[in-house]
Amino acid sequence: MESSERRSGEAMKIIRKRALALLLALVMPLPLCACAPKQQQNQSYKNELNTSKATLPSKTEETVITKDQTVQNGFSTEANKSLELLRDSIDFSMTMFGATYLGYVGGMFEEGFETGFPKWMSETNKAMLLKYPFIGEIDENHIIGRAGHLYCIVPVDENATISINRVKWNEKTKTDEVTEVLYRSESGEPVLLFANLDGVAYEDDTQVFITDNNGKTCEWHPSTGARGYLAPCISETGEYLLFDFTEYGWTNTPIEFSEWLADGWSGMTALGLAGSQSCGMTWVTESMVRETDRYAFFALTFYPGDETGGTVDLNWVYDNGDDFEEMWSGFWTIQTVMDGPSYVTLSLSLVGGKSYGVTDGPMYICETYPLMINPSGTGLVIGAGENGICLPFMSQSTMLSILTQSVG
């Protein structure tokens, strides 16, 4: 009982501007959490939100793209920069090329390839296109095929020679025989290649040769293994010549997370979400309450238990309100995914507040939500629940909610 009172008192201190009177009523009989001194707790929640908004701009504002003047290779300045950064990041002594798997195209597009393919790319690989915009600007002269499993191939040496052939295995000679010459280039520009035309990604039917300026050559057969990872390209001496830059954790990620993933946001561990102190970690936001037009201040506090979860409180108060409207408490568990959203299951019961016992709203919430955290660990994004169940600061139209870490 004492622990519950302490939590509610400290949460109120975070989210009430006029906290002093409430502190006297709610907190003075209770011990303060060791990691949250009283002087730090007694600060304006509204000011904290205003500060956090300044550091977390709208994603719409962040991702407005203007047409840049094209450079010599035909890419926009932004696309060319992303290509250069990729080449620099994979330029190891033994690496000859990078490749990524982009998905499967099973047939012709109703609106035609020229219109349908870019639309498909944008819908299925939005995060990759934001991180590597050059992929979306590869022209038709460097797109080989029209259907199949799609790969993007980027030689490290921008002057490398690329040769691509369709092949078929000959049982008599025990070799691959070239059935069609698809592509030849001495410029080393990135290409989009459709391969594995039978629809099975691990059955290779395409042969890629890359030769760098020093005359070093490698041969690769685009395909994926049983676990979905790109087949490696290994030299006769055991050197790995391929750098796989596929973002596997982004597969099947809700499209609304694409811009955040491209900006370096990722999943988190239990430690990143709840911290290591007994007082936990509080994440705050200002939003409209459910489907109403009334604004409120919300504090979501995760308390550590073990590496899989712990306990959680969610308290909120209306703007200009004088007491908590709802107080929720329960448990949380986490499925950590570091290169995509982590999935957090919340099991919450309504335990107090002005609405307790008189509301006709939900008394219990059990739902799993995708969560991502920014590189500094101070910003949190929560996506819609898997079953459409909303937290009090969400509505059915909410795609993402942004919370910031409380500093007090």
Side-chain angles (χ1 to χ4, degrees):
M1 182 68 178
E2 182 179 356
S3 175
S4 175
E5 292 176 355
R6 182 175 70 248
R7 289 182 186 177
S8 66
E10 292 185 1
M12 177 60 76
K13 286 184 284 181
I14 294 173
I15 67 171
R16 290 296 301 121
K17 185 175 181 180
R18 299 186 300 275
L20 184 56
L22 292 172
L23 287 172
L24 292 173
L26 297 174
V27 182
M28 284 189 66
L30 306 174
L32 291 175
C33 179
C35 64
K38 182 175 180 180
Q39 295 87 338
Q40 294 178 346
Q41 293 283 321
N42 295 339
Q43 58 183 311
S44 170
Y45 177 71
K46 289 183 179 179
N47 289 341
E48 183 176 308
L49 282 172
N50 290 336
T51 301
S52 67
K53 287 178 181 177
T55 58
L56 284 174
S58 160
K59 297 306 293 179
T60 302
E61 295 174 355
E62 285 184 352
T63 56
V64 171
I65 300 174
T66 57
K67 286 188 177 181
D68 295 320
Q69 185 177 1
T70 57
V71 293
Q72 279 188 332
N73 62 5
F75 290 125
S76 67
T77 302
E78 182 185 26
N80 196 63
K81 182 179 179 181
S82 71
L83 176 58
E84 291 177 351
L85 287 173
L86 174 62
R87 279 184 163 139
D88 287 343
S89 68
I90 67 176
D91 188 8
F92 301 103
S93 58
M94 293 174 287
T95 304
M96 294 191 64
F97 69 103
T100 183
Y101 176 71
L102 296 171
Y104 178 71
V105 176
M108 301 301 293
F109 299 97
E110 291 182 1
E111 59 269 66
F113 185 84
E114 290 74 15
T115 302
F117 178 63
K119 181 180 178 182
W120 175 87
M121 282 284 289
S122 179
E123 291 175 349
T124 58
N125 294 282
K126 185 175 181 181
M128 287 292 288
L129 293 180
L130 288 167
K131 185 173 182 179
Y132 304 109
F134 74 87
I135 294 176
E137 296 186 17
I138 295 176
D139 62 35
E140 60 180 355
N141 295 322
H142 299 84
I143 300 175
I144 300 100
R146 288 295 184 268
H149 291 271
L150 182 61
Y151 306 84
C152 179
I153 301 171
V154 181
V156 173
D157 185 351
E158 60 185 25
N159 296 311
T161 297
I162 307 177
S163 302
I164 303 176
N165 309 309
R166 294 280 188 234
V167 295
K168 185 176 181 180
W169 180 254
N170 188 315
E171 283 291 342
K172 292 182 178 180
T173 62
K174 303 298 181 183
T175 60
D176 284 319
E177 292 185 350
V178 175
T179 60
E180 183 181 3
V181 175
L182 298 176
Y183 180 83
R184 295 287 185 272
S185 172
E186 296 182 356
S187 63
E189 294 177 321
V191 297
L192 290 173
L193 169 64
F194 288 97
N196 323 116
L197 304 187
D198 289 337
V200 183
Y202 57 80
E203 292 186 0
D204 63 87
D205 58 6
T206 306
Q207 179 186 67
V208 178
F209 288 100
I210 297 177
T211 304
D212 65 18
N213 251 350
N214 298 318
K216 185 178 179 180
T217 298
C218 65
E219 177 182 352
W220 183 53
H221 291 246
S223 59
T224 63
R227 305 181 76 178
Y229 295 99
L230 282 187
C233 181
I234 306 174
S235 71
E236 293 180 354
T237 57
E239 298 171 336
Y240 281 80
L241 308 177
L242 160 65
F243 186 98
D244 183 357
F245 64 98
T246 307
E247 299 286 358
Y248 292 101
W250 297 5
T251 305
N252 299 322
T253 296
I255 193 170
E256 57 267 19
F257 280 109
S258 297
E259 296 169 0
W260 304 85
L261 288 166
D263 280 348
W265 291 57
S266 65
M268 76 293 293
T269 62
L271 180 64
L273 185 62
S276 59
Q277 302 294 324
S278 62
C279 59
M281 192 174 290
T282 297
W283 303 88
V284 295
T285 188
E286 179 183 10
S287 176
M288 285 187 289
V289 180
R290 299 187 178 94
E291 304 294 337
T292 72
D293 58 359
R294 294 189 65 183
Y295 277 87
F297 305 116
F298 301 84
L300 180 61
T301 303
F302 293 92
Y303 301 94
D306 55 28
E307 67 276 6
T308 64
T311 57
V312 60
D313 289 337
L314 171 59
N315 303 309
W316 64 270
V317 59
Y318 280 120
D319 187 10
N320 297 323
D322 56 8
D323 204 351
F324 285 127
E325 192 68 25
E326 291 181 351
M327 300 171 63
W328 296 79
S329 188
F331 302 91
W332 64 276
T333 59
I334 187 170
Q335 178 187 351
T336 296
V337 180
M338 296 308 297
D339 52 355
S342 291
Y343 291 88
V344 175
T345 299
L346 299 179
S347 300
L348 292 165
S349 296
L350 185 62
V351 296
K354 294 169 65 176
S355 297
Y356 182 71
V358 298
T359 181
D360 57 357
M363 300 290 291
Y364 181 71
I365 296 173
C366 184
E367 178 65 294
T368 299
Y369 303 91
L371 273 70
M372 290 201 307
I373 197 168
N374 66 0
S376 65
T378 58
L380 194 70
V381 172
I382 302 180
E386 290 184 348
N387 301 298
I389 299 175
C390 297
L391 294 170
F393 51 81
M394 295 175 170
S395 69
Q396 290 299 323
S397 61
T398 301
M399 302 302 293
L400 294 173
S401 296
I402 304 171
L403 293 81
T404 54
Q405 185 184 139
S406 172
V407 297

